[in-house]
Every structure is written in C-alpha cells, then in structure tokens.
C-alpha cells in the first residue's frame, strides 16, 4: 500500500482488502480503516503528527505491504 494525498487535509492508502484514510481536523490527524466489502470499519486514536498517524496505520494488522499473504 502507498499513501496518496487526496485533498488539502486528507490522505489515502488503498489495498486489495481495504483502505486506510487520514484526515486532519484542527491540529489532530484522525485515522480510519474501511474494508473493501464495507463490512469492517474502525477508527483509530488521533495523533499530533501526520507521520505518527501514518506509522500507526502501517503497523496495523490490516496494512498490506506485499510481503504477507
């Protein structure tokens, strides 16, 4: 999965099984995951920095990096 900027304050990483989204609201970065079929979705705690929010998503079990089956 690879991050792409989708708006002024939003980012997205799309994979075969789902997508991660990060949106900035005020000074906080809010992350969420939505599965490809839409049956699974969850929000994650806000972070102060974009890099922290991206790292939290990339460390999640649903992140697809190409090395896992």
């Amino acid at each position: 999965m690879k991050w792409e900027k989708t708006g002024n304050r939003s980012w997205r990483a799309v994979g075969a099984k789902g997508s991660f989204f990060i949106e900035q609201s005020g000074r906080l970065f809010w992350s969420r995951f939505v599965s490809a079929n839409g049956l699974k979705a969850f929000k994650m705690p806000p972070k102060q920095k974009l890099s922290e929010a991206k790292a939290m998503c990339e460390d999640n079990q649903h992140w697809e990096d190409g090395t896992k089956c």
Side-chain angles (χ1 to χ4, degrees), residues 3-50:
W3 289 107
E4 62 182 76
K5 190 165 183 168
T6 59
N8 187 31
R9 302 173 125 200
S10 59
W11 295 262
R12 175 178 63 190
V14 179
K17 297 179 183 176
S19 301
F20 283 93
F21 300 91
I22 298 176
E23 295 174 350
Q24 184 180 10
S25 178
R27 293 185 178 193
L28 296 176
F29 293 90
W30 295 84
S31 306
R32 62 188 171 97
F33 172 79
V34 179
S35 65
N37 62 9
L39 296 177
K40 184 177 223 172
F42 57 86
K43 294 181 181 179
M44 294 182 254
K47 296 294 183 183
Q48 295 285 330
K49 297 180 179 180
L50 175 61

Side-chain angles (χ1 to χ4, degrees), residues 46-65:
K47 296 294 183 183
Q48 295 285 330
K49 297 180 179 180
L50 175 61
S51 60
E52 292 173 351
K54 285 183 176 181
M56 180 175 55
C57 292
E58 292 167 5
D59 289 340
N60 188 280
Q61 67 180 358
H62 295 290
W63 185 265
E64 302 168 31
D65 61 3

